[in-house]
Amino acid sequence: TAFRNDLSAVRGRINTGATGWYATRAFYTSAITHALDAITINILESEQVEQGRTIMAIVSLAIARENLGLIRASVSRVYSQDEHASTDISDIIRYYGVFTEHQRAFTRDLTGSDRDVFLSRIFSDVHKSVVSQIEAIAGYEESHPLHHSPDIWWGEATKVIDAMKTVEDSLLDGLSAHMTQRMEDKRAYLVIYILVALVMTAMVVLL
């Protein structure tokens, strides 16, 4: 899709240092807003409550993941600087608030037999370490030791982000398969309806 192409292009510019921090943040904010609007419309039109909750869970997980990506970049900048800029800390606190809220919404809305499996993939020991680092920098846990290593932090945060993306993709695949099956079932019912209608019409003609 066009959005995925834009996202890949932005990530490429981030990796090469060809784009600024605020331009990157503006792109993600705009993209998330548009995604929320589109998904909300789909939820309102959903015929199945369970599928609607799954969509909500996927949206919440995606927002949490993208905010963790922003936190990852912000914390890396903090670890790379001798003095911590107040704007960086403020950004981390703000992103962490969004991250925790949507992570909570994800666990609330996630249903199905694989729920515990999906949660265990995300909420690992690495996840706990990442959260502790964020809260230490934000001042929530002043006694917690900091890594003071951008590489260690980046690696751990990336593992959590990748785990969230894997779960997100699995949920999307399952939802897509379910919706495809529903469409096939509806087509089958339509064929039966047409055949019955034809038979009844023929009987009327014969009578």
Side-chain angles (χ1 to χ4, degrees), residues 3-22:
F3 171 70
R4 288 186 176 179
N5 292 335
D6 291 342
L7 183 60
S8 297
V10 169
R11 285 176 173 169
R13 290 196 294 272
I14 292 173
N15 292 334
T16 59
T19 188
W21 170 251
Y22 293 102

Side-chain angles (χ1 to χ4, degrees), residues 52-196:
R53 288 190 64 183
T54 299
I55 293 174
M56 286 296 295
I58 294 171
V59 171
S60 295
L61 182 59
I63 295 174
R65 177 173 57 81
E66 291 299 336
N67 274 273
L68 182 55
L70 295 172
I71 294 171
R72 178 180 60 178
S74 297
V75 171
S76 293
R77 293 201 305 152
V78 169
Y79 279 152
S80 299
Q81 298 170 352
D82 295 331
E83 296 184 3
H84 300 169
S86 59
T87 54
D88 289 332
I89 303 300
S90 297
D91 285 342
I92 292 170
I93 293 173
R94 183 170 67 256
Y95 297 144
Y96 185 58
V98 178
F99 167 77
T100 54
E101 172 59 26
H102 286 282
Q103 184 175 253
R104 182 195 62 79
F106 165 71
T107 59
R108 177 197 65 203
D109 295 327
L110 184 62
T111 60
S113 58
D114 292 332
R115 182 179 189 276
D116 291 341
V117 175
F118 288 140
L119 291 179
S120 65
R121 291 179 183 175
I122 295 174
F123 296 97
S124 61
D125 290 339
V126 177
H127 180 280
K128 293 178 182 177
S129 176
V130 167
V131 169
S132 294
Q133 289 297 299
I134 298 170
E135 294 187 347
I137 290 177
Y140 301 153
E141 295 183 4
E142 296 181 0
S143 61
H144 191 282
L146 300 180
H147 285 321
H148 290 301
S149 169
D151 293 336
I152 294 176
W153 157 257
W154 189 275
E156 289 189 348
T158 299
K159 287 181 180 179
V160 176
I161 292 171
D162 290 345
M164 297 173 80
K165 184 63 167 63
T166 298
V167 170
E168 184 183 324
D169 289 342
S170 296
L171 289 171
L172 283 170
D173 290 342
L175 183 62
S176 176
H178 177 82
M179 299 304 291
T180 299
Q181 184 60 50
R182 283 186 57 201
M183 292 299 296
E184 292 176 354
D185 291 343
K186 288 184 177 181
R187 277 195 290 268
Y189 292 145
L190 180 60
V191 170
I192 294 174
Y193 175 83
I194 292 173
L195 291 175
V196 172

